[in-house]
Amino acid sequence: GIQKPAWLDALYAEKFFVGCPYHETAKKNEKNVCCLDCCISLCPHCVPSHRYHRLLQVRRYVYHEVIRLEDLQKLIDCSNVQAYTINSAKVVFIKKRPQNRQFKGAGNYCTSCDRSLQEPFIHCSLGCKVEFVMKRYRDITPFIKPCHTLTLGPDYIIPQDLHADDNMAAYETPRSTVVDGDDSMGWSSTSSELGDAATTTHVVRKKRTGFCFCAKSANSYKVVSEDPDDISNCINRRKGIPQRSPLC
């Protein structure tokens, strides 16, 4: 019979989300990448030495390893395999998940582990489809797709990038700063030139202006001051001693 690709066996044999023995003392040393050329699992610290190889990121969902459907379809035909949506991306389980059932009613069930599925899917994982194809056709070659290059997604961060981000954060300056104003916003303009060690920041502030009114009657008002500092004097103005008529 035709043997399966070596990278396909590595997805089942290799252990993921365990500590890397080569980087035991390093942070974030969990293995979450599979090198399809070396057929081994890698941690983020091992990725730079395999940057020219085909790399496939392995993710974790409900304590099981999954792969994004977009990446897996570049390697093998994933038709009839049920996918699940996680963080707005469809993923496929790598290994089958057996489910004990004493009775099967109407509906779709996995061809290998009898798990209930949605229509029209008949495989709950990649492993179930590979097992079904090998038993029925004795050859999985027609389902394998030629893939010469496979890189990690932009959301994957290696340790070198983390250190670079920390160093850049110390020199990063905000683009703009909002200051108080009268129905308007003042923005701080930052100017810097190549070779200058300091950054000059100019902040423009506007002084709030307004009017203070004291009421004489219901329809008549008198302007007391246009200076906002005198508003409190207008509000806190004390009334004079009331003149009362003598008692009869």
Side-chain angles (χ1 to χ4, degrees):
I2 303 298
Q3 296 182 354
K4 294 182 293 184
W7 61 263
L8 191 57
D9 289 332
L11 289 177
Y12 298 96
E14 290 293 322
K15 293 183 179 180
F16 298 94
F17 297 97
V18 295
C20 178
Y22 300 103
H23 304 90
E24 294 180 348
T25 59
K27 296 181 180 180
K28 298 184 178 180
N29 62 344
E30 286 187 342
K31 296 182 177 182
N32 57 358
V33 175
C34 181
C35 180
L36 304 183
D37 295 331
C38 301
C39 299
I40 59 175
S41 56
L42 306 174
C43 75
H45 301 274
C46 301
V47 170
S49 59
H50 297 258
R51 58 183 177 275
Y52 299 113
H53 297 176
R54 295 176 299 169
L55 301 178
L56 181 64
Q57 182 178 358
V58 180
R59 305 169 190 267
R60 197 167 181 84
Y61 176 65
V62 292
Y63 305 102
H64 293 277
E65 288 77 16
V66 298
I67 300 177
R68 292 186 61 176
L69 181 61
E70 181 181 358
D71 298 334
L72 195 59
Q73 283 181 337
K74 300 177 183 179
L75 302 170
I76 188 173
D77 183 13
C78 297
S79 59
N80 298 327
V81 180
Q82 180 168 329
Y84 300 85
T85 303
I86 303 174
N87 296 332
S88 303
K90 292 185 177 182
V91 298
V92 173
F93 286 93
I94 299 177
K95 301 177 182 179
K96 62 181 182 179
R97 299 168 295 155
Q99 184 176 6
N100 297 329
R101 283 184 176 275
Q102 298 180 355
F103 173 77
K104 295 195 305 182
N108 284 8
Y109 293 90
C110 181
T111 56
S112 300
C113 61
D114 295 337
R115 179 174 291 272
S116 178
L117 302 175
Q118 300 177 356
E119 295 183 356
F121 305 107
I122 58 176
H123 310 295
C124 73
S125 65
L126 175 64
C128 293
K129 178 171 183 177
V130 172
E131 182 179 346
F132 174 80
V133 171
M134 295 298 294
K135 289 182 178 179
R136 184 170 184 177
Y137 301 103
R138 310 293 299 178
D139 187 6
I140 199 174
T141 304
F143 297 88
I144 302 297
K145 298 181 180 180
C147 180
H148 303 289
T149 58
L150 184 63
T151 58
L152 299 175
D155 59 337
Y156 190 85
I157 302 177
I158 59 178
Q160 285 77 1
D161 294 340
L162 292 176
H163 297 323
D165 293 341
D166 294 339
N167 295 333
M168 291 300 296
Y171 300 96
E172 184 178 0
T173 56
R175 295 183 178 179
S176 58
T177 303
V178 181
V179 296
D180 296 334
D182 183 20
D183 296 335
S184 63
M185 293 184 297
W187 303 89
S188 63
S189 59
T190 304
S191 60
S192 60
E193 297 180 358
L194 184 62
D196 291 344
T199 302
T200 304
T201 304
H202 303 282
V203 180
V204 180
R205 297 181 180 272
K206 291 185 178 181
K207 187 175 182 181
R208 190 184 303 274
T209 59
F211 295 90
C212 178
F213 299 91
C214 290
K216 293 180 59 179
S217 62
N219 299 323
S220 176
Y221 296 90
K222 179 181 179 181
V223 178
V224 177
S225 173
E226 297 182 0
D227 190 353
D229 296 334
D230 295 338
I231 295 178
S232 59
N233 297 332
C234 178
I235 297 176
N236 298 328
R237 187 183 301 275
R238 299 182 60 183
K239 296 181 181 180
I241 301 176
Q243 300 294 334
R244 298 180 181 178
S245 59
L247 297 177
C248 299

